Amino acid sequence: MVRIRVLVVDDHRIFAESLAAALAAEPDVDVSAAGSGPAALRCLERAVAEGRRFDVLLVDADLGAAAGGGVPAQREPGSGPPPAADGIALVAGVRVSHPGVRTVVLAERDDPRRAALALQAGASGWVAKDCSLSRLLAVIRGVLREETHLPPALLTGVLRELTAARKHRTDSERLVESLTPREHEVLRCMVAGLGRKDVAARLFLSPHTVRTHMQNVLGKLGVHSTLAAVALARRAGVRPADLAGDVVERSGQLA
C-alpha cells in the first residue's frame, strides 16, 4: 500500500490535533502536525534528511493571525508576498524550497481574493475547515494526481480575481517596458529595498543622478511613491537586484 504523508500546519492546537487524529485513522495516511510556519519548515527539512518526505501540507489560511491580533489584511493579487506569518506566505515558501510537496489551504470562510492569492502562491487547493473528512481525503488524493480543488461557490470569484491580476500584470509589464536599461536597473535596486545612496554606490552614479533616474521611473510608471513603484514592478515580474551575486560593470553603461 502506498502511504500518503501529510503535515497539518495550524496554530490552533486542538483543531490541529483533532484533524491529525482523524486523518491518522485512515490506513494509507501518515500524519504529523506543526503549530507554525517555521515549525512546518523544520519538519519538512527533517523529513528530507531522514528520507521520508511529506506529500501534502494542509495549511491554515490564517496561520499566525491569532498571535498577530487578527486576520491578515487582504492584498491585491500580484502586489507581492503576504506577511511572513500568513499561511499563504508559507505556501509560497514551500513551493520554492520543497517543490514536490502539494499544499492545500484550510479556510474558515470563503474568500475569492485570498483563494486566488493561494493559487498564485502555489497551492493546489482551498478547502473549508468544516468540510467532511471524506471531502478532505478526496482533495488530498486529488492534488497528488495534479488536480486543483476549489469549492464550486468560489470558482467564479477566483476566476475574476485571477483575470484582474493578469490584466494588472499586463498593464504593469507594458509600463516597465517603457523604461531605459538604466532606469530598469534602478527599479530593480528599488525592488531590492535600496535607498538612493546605496543605489548610487552600486551603480557608480552620483546621488543626484540616481534621484533623476528615480523621478523618471516614477513618472513613466505613473505612480507617486517608491512603494507604489515597487508594487507595480512586482506585478510585472521585475526581479530585485541580486545584492550578493550581480556585478555591475562601469563599461558600456551610460548614466
Side-chain angles (χ1 to χ4, degrees):
M1 179 185 298
V2 178
R3 303 190 67 79
I4 303 171
R5 301 204 67 234
V6 177
L7 178 61
V8 177
V9 188
D10 197 302
D11 50 8
H12 292 81
R13 181 175 178 179
I14 294 176
F15 175 84
E17 291 180 350
S18 298
L19 179 56
L23 292 172
E26 296 296 312
D28 63 337
V29 177
D30 291 329
V31 62
S32 300
S36 68
L41 293 174
R42 288 194 296 269
C43 286
L44 290 172
E45 293 295 341
R46 186 164 56 248
V48 169
E50 296 173 355
R52 50 182 188 86
R53 301 171 185 267
F54 284 97
D55 300 302
V56 178
L57 254 68
L58 302 179
V59 181
D60 176 20
D62 297 329
L63 186 67
V71 177
Q74 291 185 339
R75 299 167 64 84
E76 180 181 353
S79 63
D86 188 14
I88 297 175
L90 176 61
V91 170
V94 169
R95 179 175 64 175
V96 173
S97 59
H98 301 275
V101 178
R102 300 290 177 263
T103 55
V104 175
V105 176
L106 304 177
E108 292 186 354
R109 64 197 176 283
D110 288 345
D111 188 331
R113 176 168 292 186
R114 297 196 70 220
L117 285 171
L119 294 183
Q120 290 176 312
S124 296
W126 177 280
V127 182
K129 278 191 170 185
D130 60 357
C131 75
S132 67
L133 181 61
S134 61
R135 166 64 179 162
L136 182 57
L137 287 167
V139 171
I140 290 172
R141 296 187 171 105
V143 298
L144 291 176
R145 296 191 297 268
E146 306 295 333
E147 297 172 0
T148 300
H149 286 259
L150 285 170
L154 277 182
L155 285 176
T156 299
V158 168
L159 288 175
R160 184 183 302 114
E161 291 291 336
L162 293 176
T163 299
R166 189 176 300 113
K167 180 181 183 299
H168 291 156
R169 185 163 55 249
T170 301
D171 293 343
S172 300
E173 289 169 350
R174 185 173 61 253
L175 291 171
V176 168
E177 287 172 358
S178 70
L179 302 179
T180 66
R182 173 62 84 192
E183 289 165 352
H184 191 274
E185 186 62 30
V186 169
L187 179 59
R188 290 187 63 208
C189 291
M190 294 164 65
V191 173
L194 297 182
R196 187 189 310 165
K197 291 183 179 179
D198 291 330
V199 175
R202 176 180 174 77
L203 300 182
F204 307 108
L205 301 172
S206 71
H208 176 75
T209 299
V210 170
R211 179 184 179 185
T212 299
H213 283 314
M214 286 183 166
Q215 289 174 340
N216 290 341
V217 167
L218 297 184
K220 289 184 177 181
L221 298 184
V223 296
H224 301 288
S225 69
T226 297
L227 183 61
V230 169
L232 187 150
R234 286 174 172 166
R235 287 198 297 271
V238 174
R239 295 184 301 108
D242 184 352
L243 304 183
D246 279 358
V247 176
V248 179
E249 298 182 357
R250 293 173 184 261
S251 61
Q253 296 198 17
L254 301 177

